[in-house]
């Protein structure tokens, strides 16, 4: 499943209790987690039913305790763990127990950036059964120009193939940087 399909499902309120977003390319991880954070609940509901943790500043017991709460003002309790790669994954027994029987009223998002999650771990397999797993692979240098063309076309704009090639050569394969520059250009158009 790709990021656009996941976002389309969320728009249609087809939600899953767990989203494990991992990989070397942070753009798609941020795209999905930011969409969930910004659009799943309205502003009044966010104060009660949305919690954002950072991997460096939290542990699994805090995450699981928050995930086991019932929502107060909406249908869902949203828990987002940004920078999940900084969690101490050796102590993941609590999270594993939660993922084996997640609450249907909770949406737990684990954003594990800059590295692939170990697919041999039991936690990965349980997360796959409990919800959605998105692997965001690094894009190769030769695929950036066509990616730029597709992105611009998706925004109902046009770009000359040589301009896309020049941007790809100048910016490299960091999609967040590429999108940032493209949005600046589209803003000035």
């Amino acid at each position: 499943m790709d990021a656009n399909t996941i976002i389309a499902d969320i728009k249609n309120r087809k939600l899953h209790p767990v989203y494990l977003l991992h990989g070397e390319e942070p753009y798609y991880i941020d795209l999905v987690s930011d969409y969930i954070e910004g659009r799943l609940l309205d502003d009044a509901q966010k104060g009660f039913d949305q919690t954002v943790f950072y991997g460096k500043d939290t542990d699994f017991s805090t995450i699981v305790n928050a995930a086991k709460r019932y929502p107060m003002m909406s249908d869902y309790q949203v828990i987002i763990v940004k920078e999940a790669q900084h969690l101490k994954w050796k102590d993941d027994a609590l999270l594993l127990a939660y993922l084996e029987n997640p609450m249907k009223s909770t949406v737990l998002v684990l954003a594990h950036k800059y590295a692939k999650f170990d697919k041999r771990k039991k936690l990965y397999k349980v997360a796959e059964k409990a919800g959605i797993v998105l692997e965001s692979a690094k894009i190769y240098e030769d695929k950036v120009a066509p990616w730029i063309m597709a992105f611009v076309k998706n925004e109902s704009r046009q770009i000359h193939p040589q301009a896309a090639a020049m941007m790809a050569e100048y910016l490299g394969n960091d999609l967040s940087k590429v999108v940032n520059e493209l949005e600046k250009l589209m803003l000035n158009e």
Side-chain angles (χ1 to χ4, degrees):
M1 190 173 269
D2 68 342
N4 293 326
T5 307
I6 293 171
I7 290 174
D9 283 351
I10 294 168
K11 282 181 185 175
N12 294 327
R13 301 306 260 185
K14 183 180 174 191
L15 300 171
H16 298 274
V18 178
Y19 291 86
L20 174 59
L21 314 172
H22 71 103
E24 296 170 343
E25 178 55 60
Y27 173 72
Y28 292 111
I29 296 168
D30 288 338
L31 187 70
V32 173
S33 65
D34 290 348
Y35 188 86
I36 291 172
E37 182 178 358
R39 298 212 175 107
L40 194 58
L41 302 176
D42 64 34
D43 290 338
Q45 296 168 334
K46 285 179 186 178
F48 293 99
D49 294 329
Q50 182 168 294
T51 308
V52 178
F53 294 113
Y54 289 87
K56 288 181 181 179
D57 302 330
T58 193
D59 57 12
F60 289 111
S61 64
T62 306
I63 294 166
V64 171
N65 284 337
K68 287 184 176 180
R69 290 190 314 233
Y70 287 98
M72 293 176 65
M73 302 292 286
S74 67
D75 295 334
Y76 296 99
Q77 172 78 16
V78 179
I79 310 296
I80 300 170
V81 183
K82 295 184 177 190
E83 300 172 3
Q85 70 274 12
H86 296 298
L87 287 166
K88 294 178 178 76
W89 289 98
K90 293 175 184 165
D91 308 329
D92 61 2
L94 278 171
L95 183 63
L96 184 61
Y98 173 77
L99 292 181
E100 288 175 343
N101 189 19
M103 291 188 60
K104 301 296 182 204
S105 62
T106 297
V107 175
L108 175 62
V109 180
L110 299 168
H112 188 279
K113 293 198 235 179
Y114 307 113
K116 293 180 182 178
F117 199 86
D118 189 355
K119 294 179 182 178
R120 299 170 294 177
K121 286 189 170 194
K122 186 177 181 183
L123 187 83
Y124 180 87
K125 293 172 182 154
V126 172
E128 218 171 19
K129 287 179 186 174
I132 298 292
V133 175
L134 170 70
E135 182 177 338
S136 180
K138 198 78 165 159
I139 189 170
Y140 293 109
E141 298 273 339
D142 63 332
K143 304 288 185 208
V144 176
W147 189 91
I148 290 172
M149 300 276 295
F151 180 85
V152 171
K153 185 178 180 182
N154 191 41
E155 296 290 321
S156 301
R157 307 282 177 113
Q158 294 179 356
I159 187 168
H160 195 276
Q162 288 178 323
M166 285 177 57
M167 286 188 75
E169 186 177 329
Y170 177 72
L171 297 171
N173 64 346
D174 181 357
L175 294 183
S176 298
K177 185 177 179 182
V178 171
V179 168
N180 187 31
E181 295 303 320
L182 286 170
E183 286 175 345
K184 285 181 193 176
L185 287 173
M186 287 187 258
L187 191 69
N188 288 329
E189 196 174 331

